[in-house]
Amino acid sequence: MFDRLEDLLRRYEEIMNELNEPSVTANQDRFRSLMKEQSDLTPLVEAYKEYKKVKQDAEDSMIMLESESDEEMRELLKEENSEAKRRIQELEQEMKILLLPKDPNDDKNVVVEIRAGAGGDEAALFAAEMYRLYVKYAERNRWKVELVGADEIGIGGMKEVSFMINGKGAYSRLKYESGVHRVQRVPETESGGRIHTSTITVAVMPEVEDVDVVIDDKDIRIDVMRASGNGGQCVNTTDSAVRLTHYPTGIVVYSQTEKSQLQNKAKAFALLRAKLYDIEQQKAHDAEAELRRSQIGTGDRSEKIRTYNFPQGRVTDHRIKLTLYKIDDIMNGDIDELLDSLIAADQSAKLARMNEA
């Protein structure tokens, strides 16, 4: 590990020197590439530099302890040495995590699709609430949300909703949300007061560029039509809505949220690219069954990942057996504790696999 850290430290210093050269600042593509590499290396380099300093402090305190006769001073040196050793262990763990292979999609924006599953209207109502949850979470992080399309029902629910979240690191946090979410509560329409169970599915996909997924013109049918449902006067009276049909996969996507047909077409293609990329990712995971089993929340879309029990005020994530009794906060977008726990579990699983290798 330490040989690799020394190599990365040297590379970091090379980058810093190169960034000061006039020829590099004049070449914007090269400059951006180096800045990205520098940004990626900075947390690891800073941790390694602190590690080396703390390790030297620990060695110095031991040398001083051997020659020190004053008891009060010896106690102080022992305390410093103990604190340094504790910090060394923390930094070693931190550096191991930072050295784990990074998901190339982590810094990307995301495309999210929520679909009502079992449970009829109650599932559609919960789908709408989960959409609001993610919007509120995005707002907490100052991320931008763009609605792509929604199939709404009259009582405030959504059979389906797709949207984009634009923000640095959005995928690194929200990728753990993919799967089946189950809700248990008494519906407002249920006179007997029986607890009703319904489900929704959430798919979180990284936004991909044209170069990542190439769509052949002959594989696509583009239909334009008048938008339906809620919308402004211009939205509902012009042929601005766009529907794309991808023949090889049978995927159909629809966007009607913008006044401009061009904007709706761009959103629809972004959603289609994300879906096609996601299919390829799923195939890769299926081909690497052992890897998929070791990962938290990036595997089977049909996996039941979480239960929201309203009568008991609890949310349980089944992958890591974590239960939190703060359902109101969570439904208002406070999901960091859930996501932090999932990330920690994912890192632990990867570290365990790395140590076994």
Side-chain angles (χ1 to χ4, degrees), residues 211-353:
V211 292
D212 298 320
V213 174
V214 178
I215 301 172
D216 198 316
D217 289 344
K218 73 178 189 305
D219 291 337
I220 284 284
R221 188 179 81 212
I222 303 174
D223 297 310
V224 295
M225 61 203 72
R226 189 159 297 175
S228 60
N230 296 328
Q233 186 178 1
C234 181
V235 171
N236 290 325
T237 57
T238 61
D239 291 335
S240 59
V242 174
R243 183 176 65 206
L244 302 180
T245 304
H246 186 248
Y247 294 123
T249 60
I251 292 172
V252 177
V253 297
Y254 183 74
S255 178
Q256 66 169 33
T257 57
E258 302 294 336
K259 294 179 182 178
S260 157
Q261 185 187 117
L262 201 62
Q263 289 173 312
N264 280 323
K265 185 178 176 183
K267 280 189 175 183
F269 266 101
L271 177 56
L272 178 60
R273 281 195 301 270
K275 280 175 169 282
L276 293 174
Y277 183 79
D278 189 55
I279 288 171
E280 292 305 311
Q281 292 282 91
Q282 290 294 303
K283 284 180 184 175
H285 286 156
D286 290 343
E288 300 173 32
E290 184 182 344
L291 174 63
R292 195 184 75 185
R293 280 195 299 270
S294 75
Q295 290 181 324
I296 305 292
T298 53
D300 193 343
R301 285 283 186 269
S302 64
E303 178 189 7
K304 183 184 73 180
I305 63 167
R306 199 175 293 152
T307 295
Y308 304 75
N309 187 300
F310 279 80
Q312 296 177 16
R314 66 172 169 84
V315 175
T316 299
D317 196 290
H318 305 290
R319 295 163 293 180
I320 54 175
K321 298 177 173 58
L322 173 68
T323 295
L324 300 175
Y325 289 88
K326 46 186 286 187
I327 196 164
D328 290 340
D329 292 340
I330 287 168
M331 295 310 296
N332 278 314
D334 184 6
I335 57 172
D336 274 325
E337 188 173 354
L338 281 167
L339 299 184
D340 289 341
S341 299
L342 286 161
I343 290 168
D346 196 16
Q347 290 171 343
S348 296
K350 288 173 181 173
L351 282 172
R353 288 186 74 251

Side-chain angles (χ1 to χ4, degrees), residues 34-81:
L34 288 169
M35 286 296 291
K36 170 82 168 59
E37 192 178 354
Q38 183 244 0
S39 175
D40 290 343
L41 285 175
T42 296
L44 184 56
V45 166
E46 287 179 351
Y48 185 45
K49 284 180 177 178
E50 185 184 351
Y51 172 85
K52 291 171 80 170
K53 180 184 180 301
V54 175
K55 196 165 178 61
Q56 186 61 55
D57 290 345
E59 291 171 3
D60 291 345
S61 64
M62 283 302 295
I63 292 169
M64 291 172 69
L65 190 59
E66 289 173 6
S67 59
E68 183 58 61
S69 57
D70 182 81
E71 200 55 42
E72 191 175 331
M73 194 64 186
R74 284 179 63 81
E75 284 302 314
L76 186 61
L77 288 167
K78 284 178 185 177
E79 193 177 315
E80 285 180 3
N81 185 259

